[in-house]
């Protein structure tokens, strides 16, 4: 009989609250970001001891900070410690989102709410297919993942129209569950790293700790240089590897999210110094993209995916939206990096990028397009005589001719040309003896 025994879960330590084992590796513990579709992109959730960087280069929106609000709300609702590093951390916490219908006394029990009423009505309206009644029994095409497909205890359902109750926020402050850190303690970020290290070293309990940096590189951080930002990201990643019960999520300031600020390869360097990095490029700066994709608010680009204790990231096997897993065919995944996001009235979702009716135009055109009008104008100039183009008199050199056609009752459709009439056959009478008929 073999002396080797299979390692069972009963002999392992208890997992921190609000976490579970990764389906890809039993040595990896993951937690939720608060957005089910983002958890799917990351391979089930954000692993502990890993960091997530969100780059939102649009100056007219705050989608990066919105992701951080989900991250903070999920930590507070799960009973985890949350550390907010901001110029006004308490104000950022008060502006956070919360669960619909929850009470301050029981903030985590009312998390498993259904989708908002608007989405339910929209789904009911889509059920009534007007093409053919037999299509109603076919499986519907899904562009995202719902919270029902994931573990409800891991990811709560938050409502963008609800704010975190003041009583719940005060209780988190008194119990040291919410820890604010001001960024004004140092200009180069070394003081922030020391504060985080002190916080993690003093945490003797087996609680998961979330570190949130909503706007890294904002004016309150001082005049930060690319080397300073890279050093801070490297130091933060080093701390997370030392303390396996901690994870971090940060968003860079909009002016720092492109290569124009940090030089060639800047975004790639940020991805190297973080375990996961994505870009949320909004359509606000390009109206043509907004008209082409009216159902989405921006494109999602994946730079790095977390892969602790493994060579390949778990997202390659378990992500539905990326389209690489076996489940992508049943859920409607359409390929890697073919992702977009949209912010609805009550939630933010990530989904596969798809065109609407008629290649992105949701309404049928009844007037010629601008390209056709420009083509007609160019054709007019080409057909004008050279003398007219030289003098510039394009109005008085041509006579106006009006042609009217009388309606033809014999033709049912005016556009159909009339059939040519067949010539009548003429019969000639010839005889071999014409004298008999000569009267």
């Amino acid at each position: 009989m073999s002396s080797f025994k299979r390692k069972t879960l009963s002999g392992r330590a208890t997992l921190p609250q609000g976490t579970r084992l990764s389906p890809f590796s039993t040595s990896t513990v993951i937690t939720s970001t608060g957005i089910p579709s983002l958890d799917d992109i990351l391979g089930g959730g954000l692993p502990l001891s890993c960091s997530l960087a969100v780059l939102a280069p649009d100056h007219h929106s705050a989608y990066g900070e919105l992701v951080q609000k989900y991250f903070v709300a999920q930590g507070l609702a799960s009973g985890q410690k949350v550390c907010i590093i901001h110029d006004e951390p308490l104000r950022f916490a008060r502006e956070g989102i919360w669960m619909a219908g929850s009470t301050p006394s029981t903030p985590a029990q009312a998390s498993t709410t259904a989708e908002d009423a608007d989405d339910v009505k929209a789904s009911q309206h889509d059920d009534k297919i007007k093409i053919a009644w037999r299509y109603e029994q076919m499986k519907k095409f899904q562009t995202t993942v719902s919270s029902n497909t994931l573990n409800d205890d891991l990811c709560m359902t938050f409502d963008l129209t609800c704010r975190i109750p003041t009583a719940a926020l005060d209780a988190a402050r008194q119990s040291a569950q919410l820890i604010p850190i001001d960024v004004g303690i140092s200009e180069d970020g070394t003081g922030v790293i020391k504060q985080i290290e002190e916080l993690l070293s003093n945490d003797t309990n087996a609680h998961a700790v979330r570190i949130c940096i909503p706007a890294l590189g904002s004016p309150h951080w001082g005049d930060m240089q690319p080397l300073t930002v890279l050093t801070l990201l490297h130091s933060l990643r080093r701390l997370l590897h030392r303390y396996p019960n901690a994870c971090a999520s940060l968003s860079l300031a909009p002016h720092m999210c492109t290569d124009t600020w940090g030089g060639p390869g800047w975004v790639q360097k940020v991805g190297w110094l973080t375990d996961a990095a994505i870009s949320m490029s909004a359509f606000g700066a390009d109206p043509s993209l907004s008209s082409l994709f009216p159902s989405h608010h921006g494109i999602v680009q994946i730079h790095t995916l977390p892969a602790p204790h493994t060579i390949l990231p778990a997202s390659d096997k378990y992500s539905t939206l990326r389209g690489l897993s076996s489940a992508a065919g049943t859920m409607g995944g359409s390929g890697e990096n073919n992702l977009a996001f949209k912010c609805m009235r009550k939630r933010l979702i990530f989904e596969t990028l798809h065109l609407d009716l008629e290649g992105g135009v949701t309404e049928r055109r009844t007037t010629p397009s601008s390209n056709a009008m420009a083509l007609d104008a160019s054709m007019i100039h080409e057909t004008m005589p050279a003398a007219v183009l030289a003098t510039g008199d394009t109005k008085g050199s041509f006579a106006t001719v009006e042609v009217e056609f009388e309606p033809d009752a014999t033709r049912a459709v005016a556009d159909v040309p009339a059939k040519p009439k067949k010539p009548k056959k003429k019969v000639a009478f010839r005889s071999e003896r014409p004298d008999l008929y000569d009267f």
Side-chain angles (χ1 to χ4, degrees):
M1 185 175 180
S2 176
S3 60
F4 294 98
K5 295 182 180 180
R6 183 185 298 273
K7 183 181 293 186
T8 58
L9 297 178
S10 59
R12 298 185 180 182
T14 305
L15 295 178
Q17 188 176 0
T19 62
R20 65 181 176 92
L21 293 177
S22 173
F24 188 72
S25 175
T26 56
S27 59
T28 303
V29 182
I30 61 176
T31 186
S32 175
T33 59
I35 307 175
S37 51
L38 182 57
D39 292 342
D40 176 84
I41 295 175
L42 297 177
L46 179 63
L48 297 183
S49 74
C50 292
S51 58
L52 168 65
V54 180
L55 286 74
D58 188 12
H59 293 266
H60 306 285
S61 59
Y63 294 112
E65 292 189 2
L66 183 58
V67 175
Q68 305 307 324
K69 290 181 180 179
Y70 272 100
F71 185 76
V72 171
Q74 177 64 35
L76 294 177
S78 302
Q80 302 173 351
K81 285 189 175 182
V82 179
C83 175
I84 302 178
I85 304 174
H86 196 261
D87 57 320
E88 296 181 1
L90 295 181
R91 180 185 61 83
F92 182 82
R94 286 193 297 267
E95 295 177 354
I97 60 178
W98 202 241
M99 298 165 288
S102 61
T103 58
S105 58
T106 58
Q109 277 73 13
S111 60
T112 57
T113 58
E115 296 181 352
D116 51 88
D118 297 340
D119 297 340
V120 174
K121 292 180 180 179
S123 61
Q124 292 177 356
H125 182 268
D126 294 339
D127 291 342
K128 300 178 181 179
I129 302 178
K130 300 179 181 180
I131 303 176
W133 58 270
R134 61 177 63 91
Y135 291 160
E136 295 181 358
Q137 305 297 330
M138 299 179 63
K139 187 176 180 61
K140 299 178 183 179
F141 179 79
Q142 298 180 1
T143 59
T144 186
V145 293
S146 59
S147 57
N148 298 330
T149 59
L150 301 176
N151 191 355
D152 291 338
D153 297 335
L154 181 69
C155 184
M156 310 295 181
T157 303
F158 298 98
D159 192 343
L160 293 178
T161 60
C162 299
R163 290 291 176 263
I164 182 172
T166 306
L169 195 61
D170 295 339
R173 286 288 313 279
Q174 295 177 1
S175 61
Q177 182 185 1
L178 178 62
I179 304 171
I181 295 180
D182 193 359
V183 299
I185 55 180
S186 64
E187 295 183 358
D188 55 353
T190 56
V192 174
I193 295 298
K194 292 181 180 178
Q195 290 276 351
I196 297 175
E197 185 176 6
E198 182 180 357
L199 169 64
L200 297 178
S201 60
N202 295 334
D203 186 22
T204 58
N205 300 326
H207 293 92
V209 180
R210 293 177 178 239
I211 302 172
C212 176
I213 307 178
L216 177 61
S218 62
H220 299 279
W221 286 79
D223 188 12
M224 299 191 70
Q225 301 298 324
L227 182 59
T228 307
V229 177
L230 296 179
T231 304
L232 190 146
L233 294 178
H234 181 267
S235 302
L236 179 61
R237 190 177 186 183
R238 177 180 56 84
L239 287 178
L240 295 178
H241 289 177
R242 287 178 52 188
Y243 301 95
N245 286 341
C247 62
S249 178
L250 57 97
S251 297
L252 296 181
H255 68 279
M256 299 171 54
C257 296
T258 57
D259 292 343
T260 56
W261 183 79
W266 164 252
V267 177
Q268 189 177 11
K269 294 177 184 178
V270 173
W272 286 342
L273 294 177
T274 53
D275 298 281
I278 62 173
S279 291
M280 301 175 63
S281 302
F283 294 152
D286 195 346
S288 61
L289 293 177
S290 300
S291 59
L292 185 61
F293 304 100
S295 301
H296 305 91
H297 291 158
I299 297 178
V300 178
Q301 184 179 2
I302 301 175
H303 303 290
T304 312
L305 290 171
H309 314 293
T310 58
I311 298 178
L312 296 177
S315 177
D316 291 352
K317 186 176 182 181
Y318 291 97
S319 176
T320 301
L321 295 180
R322 293 185 60 206
L324 301 179
S325 63
S326 59
T330 59
M331 293 294 292
S334 59
E336 185 179 6
N337 285 341
N338 190 19
L339 303 175
F341 69 92
K342 62 179 179 181
C343 184
M344 306 175 68
R345 191 172 67 92
K346 293 188 176 182
R347 58 176 180 164
L348 173 69
I349 61 175
F350 295 80
E351 63 179 8
T352 56
L353 182 65
H354 60 280
L355 293 175
D356 289 319
L357 299 177
E358 299 188 3
V361 181
T362 57
E363 298 180 359
R364 296 184 180 274
R365 293 178 178 175
T366 57
T367 59
S369 61
S370 59
N371 295 333
M373 298 176 64
L375 181 60
D376 294 341
S378 62
M379 293 177 63
I380 291 176
H381 283 278
E382 290 178 359
T383 56
M384 285 184 179
V388 175
L389 293 177
T391 58
D393 185 10
T394 59
K395 295 183 179 180
S397 300
F398 291 92
T400 303
V401 179
E402 295 182 359
V403 181
E404 295 183 0
F405 296 92
E406 296 182 359
D408 189 0
T410 60
R411 298 174 60 184
V413 182
D415 297 337
V416 179
K419 295 183 179 179
K421 296 182 179 181
K422 296 182 179 179
K424 295 182 179 181
K425 295 182 180 180
K426 296 181 180 181
V427 181
F429 183 79
R430 297 179 181 180
S431 176
E432 296 178 358
R433 298 180 62 182
D435 54 339
L436 297 177
Y437 301 94
D438 188 9
F439 299 104

